[in-house]
């Protein structure tokens, strides 16, 4: 049977068979995430047709206006994973505190951190948005899940991935055995293996991706780095600039074409904007599994010890030689 006829269920079942001691709980979490992705995709693709657009009128924990699709995506994932019996806690961009599993529902050995609908500010203008997820195994010994169970090193992730709701809906994830992409065939409601063992091309396209509107607030090193890219000064030659403003879209393009995606800190926000636990660390896991590199400008993202649930960090992800170049420029200050 050709790869294109492999569903995500078959693929995950095959991976589970390679782990004789597997209990199936891990498989269930991945399958529940793929089900949630299909349900969210249905609404995202119809967003313009139903009264689900526009601000829900409430603000999330970061004081940002919440779009109704944000809430909807969060509720779908919490409902499916919360009752799926395989997780014992959920950290979400949409919830200040860890979401516990309701009384009466079975819990499992995993915790999941999610950005239910990243790039939500682009929903109304029909630009790609995405869901990002990160799965860890519960580490605390007590019965109750602790925040420390989600605040683990990125290198301790059991799995991580994202869904891009774009021209097609794609699910990309890794369990540490390569990064694999599945494209949703809406006619049969199945994610089909379309991008087995994804590898970032090397040297890859010379694309730099950053919001240059913040240039006046960058460090001198960051400014000089972007000038090098913009002016084609280095031995890597000339670059194209691409910036969607939706992290999953910018990351996915970088994964497939190469280049570098950057969301640096600024003088008034040294930690940048992107969240470690449910945005940068999961994508960093996928990035490294595809042969890329992911840094906060100084350290490997997967080695960064989380200190709070919604902690922000700068992000530099893409072709290793470009991420290392960025680190050298930032070190010069
Ligand atoms: P800016 C979307 O709101 C998001 O969280 C990411 O998806 C995206 O990379 C970033 O913010 C865009 O932020 O400041 O460039 O608009």
């Amino acid at each position: 049977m050709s790869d294109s006829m492999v569903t995500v269920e078959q693929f995950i079942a095959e991976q589970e068979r390679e782990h004789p001691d597997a209990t199936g709980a891990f498989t269930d979490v991945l399958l529940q995430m793929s089900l949630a992705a299909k349900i969210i995709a249905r609404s995202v693709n119809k967003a313009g047709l139903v009264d689900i657009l526009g601000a829900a009128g409430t603000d999330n924990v970061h004081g940002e206006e919440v779009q109704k699709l944000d809430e909807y995506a969060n509720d779908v994932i919490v409902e499916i994973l919360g009752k799926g019996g395989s997780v014992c806690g959920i950290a979400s961009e949409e919830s200040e505190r860890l979401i516990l599993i309701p009384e009466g529902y079975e819990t499992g050995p995993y915790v999941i951190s999610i950005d239910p609908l990243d790039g939500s500010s682009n929903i109304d203008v029909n630009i790609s948005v995405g869901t990002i997820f990160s799965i860890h195994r519960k580490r605390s010994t007590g019965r109750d899940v602790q925040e420390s169970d989600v605040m683990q090193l990125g290198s301790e992730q059991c799995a991580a991935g994202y869904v891009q709701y774009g021209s097609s809906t794609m699910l990309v994830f890794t369990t540490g055995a390569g990064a694999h992409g599945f494209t949703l065939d809406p006619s049969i409601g199945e994610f089909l293996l379309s991008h087995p063992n994804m590898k970032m091309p090397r040297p890859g396209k010379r694309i730099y991706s950053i919001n240059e509107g913040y240039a006046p607030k960058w460090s001198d090193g960051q400014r000089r780095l972007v000038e090098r890219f913009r002016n084609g000064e280095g031995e890597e030659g000339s670059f194209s600039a691409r910036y969607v403003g939706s992290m999953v879209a910018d990351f996915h393009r970088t994964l497939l074409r190469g280049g570098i995606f950057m969301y640096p800190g600024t003088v008034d926000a040294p930690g940048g904007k992107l969240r470690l636990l449910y945005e940068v660390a999961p994508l960093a896991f996928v990035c490294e599994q595809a042969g890329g590199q992911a840094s906060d400008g100084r350290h490997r993202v997967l080695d960064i010890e989380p200190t709070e649930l919604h902690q922000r960090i700068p992000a530099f992800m893409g072709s290793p030689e470009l991420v290392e170049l960025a680190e050298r420029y930032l070190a010069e200050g």
Side-chain angles (χ1 to χ4, degrees), residues 58-66 70-71 74 91-99 114 116 275 278 308-312:
T58 60
D59 287 351
N60 69 15
V61 294
H62 319 296
E64 295 159 349
E65 200 172 52
V66 176
D70 269 353
E71 291 174 341
N74 188 65
S92 170
E93 179 175 48
E94 296 304 322
S95 171
E96 190 167 0
R97 312 290 306 159
L98 198 57
I99 300 167
I114 57 171
R275 313 290 180 174
Y278 43 77
E308 54 180 77
L309 216 50
H310 299 288
Q311 146 181 18
R312 300 174 193 263

Side-chain angles (χ1 to χ4, degrees), residues 49-107:
L49 304 174
V50 296
D51 179 27
I52 198 165
L53 275 179
T58 60
D59 287 351
N60 69 15
V61 294
H62 319 296
E64 295 159 349
E65 200 172 52
V66 176
Q67 301 283 345
K68 285 181 183 172
L69 267 179
D70 269 353
E71 291 174 341
Y72 175 75
N74 188 65
D75 293 351
V76 165
I77 297 171
V78 171
E79 175 77 13
I80 293 175
L81 274 292
K83 296 178 179 173
S86 297
V87 305
C88 54
I90 302 172
S92 170
E93 179 175 48
E94 296 304 322
S95 171
E96 190 167 0
R97 312 290 306 159
L98 198 57
I99 300 167
L100 305 180
I101 305 309
E103 282 298 316
Y105 286 96
E106 200 182 327
T107 60

Side-chain angles (χ1 to χ4, degrees), residues 64 93 115 117-122 128-130 132 209-214 243-251 261-263 273-275 279 312:
E64 295 159 349
E93 179 175 48
D115 184 352
L117 207 63
D118 179 74
S120 54
S121 55
N122 293 302
S128 281
V129 292
I132 309 172
S209 181
I210 190 168
N211 184 339
E212 297 200 49
Y214 299 133
Y243 190 72
V244 179
S246 187
M247 184 181 188
V248 166
D250 282 316
F251 177 80
F261 167 75
M262 297 174 277
Y263 203 108
K273 174 182 182 184
L274 304 177
R275 313 290 180 174
E279 289 176 339
R312 300 174 193 263

Side-chain angles (χ1 to χ4, degrees), residues 218-225 227 329 332-333:
W218 292 339
S219 69
D220 290 344
Q222 180 68 51
R223 249 193 306 282
R224 283 199 303 276
L225 172 71
E227 279 161 11
Y329 271 72
E332 290 160 11

